[in-house]
Amino acid sequence: MSASRFTIGTRGSALATTQTGHVAAQLHEISQVPYDTVLVKTEGDVTTGPLSQLGGTGVFAAALRQALYDGTCDLAVHSLKDLPTTQPEGLVIAATPKRADVRDALCARDGLFLAELPEGATVGTGSPRRAAQLLAFRPDLKIVDIRGNVGTRLGRVKGSPAQKDDGGVGRTAQGDLDAVILAAAGLERLGLESHITEYLDPEIMLPAPGQGSLAVEVRAAGSGHPSVDAALETMDDGDTRLAVTAERALLSRLEAGCAAPIGALATVHGDALVLDSVACRPDGTDTMRRSATTQTLTIDGAQALGVALAEQLLREGAADLAGL
């Protein structure tokens, strides 16, 4: 490995390589250090079955983190919502770039909105959080568990042309669903926002903690390239860091992973950090929404906000409600 270049690790999906490419190009622009990309295959990319049953949070992150430990790469780029809330020893999240759109997006046949889907319509998602909030809004919908990369999922929508697929798991059918739900940020990063028929308001569907955010992870000693480490500091967005810290602190205190029917969204409004949360019964028959605010705009303050709101949720029965 040349000391004059940095290596950046990524999963092989189209979304992962696109996200990593944006981060790498930005780091190169700031640091002027050239780079190489290392593709790492993760368990989540090759294991079939529902995501909620694949061993919990981190199924997409473990192999990338091992590549960092092994020195196969100097940096790794993750979708932050896929990362466990406990940070492994010897690795640090060196940058959380400015957050993209946090919302979930409906991609439906015939340009339909969520409220316009016919009674009993089939909607595909692999997320218990999305499924529960969909059913809370539209109890008549039939939720279909789906896997696969973005192209595979879009291809499940009736009338959708066959989508480019990069060989991942999950291809079982084509054009068999009325709609699918995906993260708006991923569709926009891939230039596929034309498939979005409705951006779902967080009042209807709170996103996953960390949704829309990327995490650039390095070994605790740094990337091995001082100019790249300085570029990572420049890339780190303060408001994004505060927001995702609060969201992930709530998830951690609830001892819930990415498969739990829990949504959280923090935003900085002037001199305050506001955290909204929802805990859902998996079948959508009951939901608990709570909010909290702090004016301590520090990492410790954001952490404390997430913990305090989680403890309120627990006192009021969220663990039983959401099956935590």
Side-chain angles (χ1 to χ4, degrees):
M1 189 183 304
S2 170
S4 62
R5 306 175 71 86
F6 70 88
T7 53
I8 189 162
T10 180
R11 293 170 54 207
S13 73
L15 179 57
T17 55
T18 299
Q19 290 175 165
T20 300
H22 287 325
V23 169
Q26 190 174 351
L27 286 172
H28 170 63
E29 183 179 350
I30 298 169
S31 70
Q32 294 301 300
V33 178
Y35 64 89
D36 296 307
T37 302
V38 177
L39 293 182
V40 178
K41 186 161 282 191
T42 75
E43 183 186 358
D45 295 317
V46 297
T47 308
T48 58
L51 275 180
S52 57
Q53 297 174 16
L54 287 188
T57 314
V59 68
F60 292 118
L64 276 172
R65 286 176 156 172
Q66 191 60 51
L68 276 175
Y69 281 128
D70 294 344
T72 306
C73 58
D74 301 317
L75 307 90
V77 179
H78 308 277
S79 290
L80 188 54
K81 69 182 179 66
D82 292 336
L83 284 186
T85 53
T86 301
Q87 187 63 25
E89 187 176 351
L91 300 179
V92 296
I93 295 175
T96 51
K98 187 173 177 60
R99 195 174 203 171
D101 197 320
V102 301
R103 293 173 293 181
D104 289 295
L106 179 76
C107 302
R109 64 174 176 84
D110 305 320
L112 295 173
F113 288 0
L114 181 57
E116 298 171 335
L117 289 172
E119 185 171 354
T122 52
V123 181
T125 177
S127 161
R129 172 192 61 82
R130 289 174 178 151
Q133 291 184 88
L134 276 173
L135 290 170
F137 185 73
R138 286 282 307 268
D140 62 291
L141 295 176
K142 180 183 177 186
I143 306 300
V144 178
D145 187 85
I146 61 173
R147 288 283 317 275
N149 296 315
V150 172
T152 299
R153 296 181 188 222
L154 288 175
R156 299 287 296 269
V157 180
K158 291 175 184 173
S160 175
Q163 302 297 317
K164 182 179 179 182
D165 186 280
D166 48 3
V169 298
R171 174 172 284 190
T172 56
Q174 172 81 30
D176 61 319
L177 302 175
D178 293 301
V180 296
I181 306 285
L182 295 164
L187 290 164
E188 290 171 352
R189 285 173 179 140
L190 288 169
L192 296 171
E193 58 268 36
S194 62
H195 291 268
I196 298 173
T197 59
E198 183 179 3
Y199 288 89
L200 298 178
D201 193 297
E203 288 292 322
I204 294 173
M205 184 173 292
L206 269 180
Q211 184 161 307
S213 297
L214 300 178
V216 188
E217 196 168 43
V218 301
R219 291 178 290 277
S223 69
H225 307 269
S227 297
V228 175
D229 292 337
L232 287 166
E233 287 188 34
T234 300
M235 184 183 286
D236 192 50
D237 182 73
D239 285 356
T240 298
R241 176 80 73 159
L242 288 174
V244 299
T245 296
E247 294 162 17
R248 286 164 59 77
L250 177 138
L251 195 65
S252 178
R253 179 64 187 87
L254 292 176
E255 297 183 0
C258 62
I262 300 292
L265 177 61
T267 48
V268 176
H269 294 287
D271 61 354
L273 179 64
V274 180
L275 177 59
D276 297 313
S277 68
V278 66
C280 308
R281 197 178 300 282
D283 63 4
T285 55
D286 196 6
T287 61
M288 178 189 297
R289 278 183 173 258
R290 299 291 185 269
S291 298
T293 302
T294 185
Q295 291 184 311
T296 306
L297 298 185
T298 63
I299 294 299
D300 286 346
Q303 185 91 17
L305 177 68
V307 170
L309 185 54
E311 289 178 345
Q312 178 186 348
L313 287 167
L314 291 170
R315 285 195 304 272
E316 297 179 17
D320 287 340
L321 178 70
L324 302 180

